[in-house]
Amino acid sequence: MTNKRVLSGMRPTGRLHLGHYFGALKNWAEIQNNYECFYMVADWHALTSNYADTSEIKENSIDMVIDWLTVGINPNKAVIFRQSEVKEHAELFLILSMISPLGWLQRCPTYKEQLKEIQSKDLNNYGFLGYPVLMAADILLYKAQNVPVGEDQLAHLEYSREITRRFNNFYGEVLLEPQALLTKTARVPGLDKRKMSKSYGNSILIAESEDEVVKKVKTMYTDPLRIKATDEGHPDGCVVFAFHELFNKDFEKRKQECKGGCIGCVKCKKELADLMCAFTKPFVEKRNELLKDKAAAEKILAEGGKKASAVAAETMKEIRKALHF
Ligand code: TRP
């Protein structure tokens, strides 16, 4: 084990899908063996856009942690905790807010994009603008050297680095500039070829039942240019093929078969569904096992919360001292 520390988090959106798995969790499960990892349920972050209805945050958090455990995130290796249980996140958020230039936040590409894209709720809020400030607090409290994030979060991480420099410039070298831990992750398309996302309703869960997998694979968009199975196929850009690349080790062969008109879409989908069911089945079983004892997940969060608090309290002590509080 190196002494390098990692922090990452996810907003509790409920049960997780294959996009979460291939985009983050698979990697989280691997790096817990080589780094000191802190994995956080970002439940306060869930408030930044879903402030009007908070009724599902708690349940969604537990559901998410159960999925983490399902894919092998191990509480004996990584600290699994809930942001809202470690109040230092709020304290550092407040301090960082004081030195956060509005321009930096308003220029953040994710901010501009979501403000424009999301019409269903009013995001003209101070907390939403401050999303990267809270995220910086999450990372800096643990002096994490590395933050495994997807590309969509790189702008937020850059913000953390910039605010660290500004903080250290004002108050002395207290905080550590974090680095992104970019590992190879796969982009997972949704059933409709857009990015897989709960809000698009195009996802397949990590612990999806066999019936659902079969049903969902059938709905995948297929090549409109192919009328007969013997017509030439177009695997590049085909969702079914994109999933073969993830689940079928002979995907190159499938590519040739498709191009050569040697296999029809129906059969190709059927084979994909079989491969995907074989993948999800152990997860379904593990999840069902874990669901029998939800209190155990709560206990893991409580214990993780204690470990995280101990680290956060130390850093906060240094920060208060640096600011003469
Ligand atoms: N913003 C991240 C996401 O939506 C979640 C998150 C919150 C996070 N705090 C973090 C990720 C700290 C990495 C580090 O995916």
Side-chain angles (χ1 to χ4, degrees):
M1 157 107 44
T2 67
N3 54 0
K4 278 210 164 176
R5 190 177 281 163
V6 153
L7 179 128
S8 200
M10 271 185 205
R11 273 170 300 158
T13 50
R15 294 185 60 182
L16 302 176
H17 54 61
L18 296 174
H20 295 116
Y21 181 76
F22 289 104
L25 288 176
K26 187 168 178 251
N27 182 35
W28 284 19
E30 273 162 30
I31 59 179
Q32 67 183 344
N33 298 312
N34 306 314
Y35 292 83
E36 184 190 1
C37 292
F38 287 78
Y39 294 141
M40 179 188 78
V41 177
D43 54 351
W44 274 336
H45 270 111
L47 282 179
T48 59
S49 54
N50 273 347
Y51 54 85
D53 180 6
T54 60
S55 60
E56 288 178 356
I57 295 179
K58 188 149 190 223
E59 190 62 29
N60 282 346
S61 297
I62 292 293
D63 259 336
M64 182 168 83
V65 168
I66 286 182
D67 272 343
W68 289 1
L69 301 172
T70 297
V71 301
I73 307 295
N74 182 341
N76 297 319
K77 293 181 180 170
V79 177
I80 300 173
F81 74 104
R82 212 186 238 136
Q83 185 181 36
S84 65
E85 271 180 55
V86 183
K87 309 301 176 195
E88 284 84 355
H89 289 249
E91 187 176 353
L92 184 53
F93 170 63
L94 177 143
I95 290 171
L96 295 179
S97 295
M98 301 299 169
I99 62 165
S100 286
L102 278 179
W104 290 9
L105 294 171
Q106 284 159 338
R107 242 182 279 125
C108 185
T110 46
Y111 174 73
K112 287 194 292 196
E113 200 180 291
Q114 294 191 32
L115 208 54
K116 200 168 83 199
E117 295 280 319
I118 302 176
Q119 301 294 341
S120 55
K121 44 202 165 198
D122 181 1
L123 294 179
N124 275 299
N125 299 296
Y126 170 63
F128 184 66
L129 179 67
Y131 189 105
V133 185
L134 181 56
M135 185 161 152
D138 298 338
I139 298 165
L140 301 176
L141 264 183
Y142 299 88
K143 300 194 175 175
Q145 282 100 336
N146 287 111
V147 184
V149 284
E151 250 173 68
D152 61 320
Q153 297 294 318
L154 279 180
H156 293 154
L157 193 66
E158 194 48 38
Y159 182 83
S160 302
R161 295 161 54 78
E162 280 167 5
I163 205 71
T164 301
R165 293 197 284 271
R166 192 164 157 87
F167 181 103
N168 287 348
N169 190 30
F170 287 145
Y171 311 118
E173 291 289 322
V174 177
L175 301 178
L176 193 84
E177 233 181 274
Q179 311 278 345
L181 188 67
L182 287 171
T183 39
K184 55 174 188 337
T185 50
R187 187 186 162 277
V188 183
L191 298 169
D192 58 0
K193 237 170 113 166
R194 290 189 289 173
K195 184 180 173 205
M196 185 176 281
S197 159
K198 186 179 183 185
S199 55
Y200 292 157
N202 64 0
S203 54
I204 297 179
L205 299 176
I206 290 171
E208 194 81 89
S209 72
E210 202 170 324
D211 286 356
E212 281 296 311
V213 172
V214 170
K215 217 160 70 190
K216 287 183 174 179
V217 170
K218 278 190 184 145
T219 70
M220 282 179 188
Y221 177 90
T222 37
D223 197 341
L225 297 174
R226 281 186 95 187
I227 318 282
K228 300 190 298 302
T230 50
D231 289 346
E232 181 188 331
H234 306 85
D236 296 318
C238 169
V239 186
V240 182
F241 182 69
F243 278 93
H244 269 284
E245 284 187 297
L246 288 170
F247 293 97
N248 184 350
K249 56 179 181 9
D250 290 330
F251 66 88
E252 281 295 350
K253 187 168 157 230
R254 173 49 40 92
K255 190 173 194 169
Q256 299 317 322
E257 289 166 345
C258 173
K259 278 188 172 164
C262 303
I263 182 163
C265 293
V266 175
K267 180 152 182 256
C268 183
K269 280 184 174 181
K270 166 80 178 67
E271 286 180 12
L272 175 65
D274 288 346
L275 289 166
M276 290 182 78
C277 287
F279 175 86
T280 51
K281 192 170 175 232
F283 290 149
V284 172
E285 284 164 7
K286 182 85 193 286
R287 187 179 162 87
N288 285 339
E289 198 55 42
L290 290 162
L291 279 175
K292 288 185 193 147
D293 187 7
K294 281 198 176 188
E298 275 293 354
K299 202 166 145 228
I300 287 168
L301 282 171
E303 276 167 15
K306 273 189 224 144
K307 289 185 201 156
S309 288
V311 178
E314 274 307 308
T315 311
M316 218 40 239
K317 229 191 260 171
E318 287 177 51
I319 292 172
R320 287 185 207 115
K321 188 158 169 256
L323 268 78
H324 308 290
F325 271 83

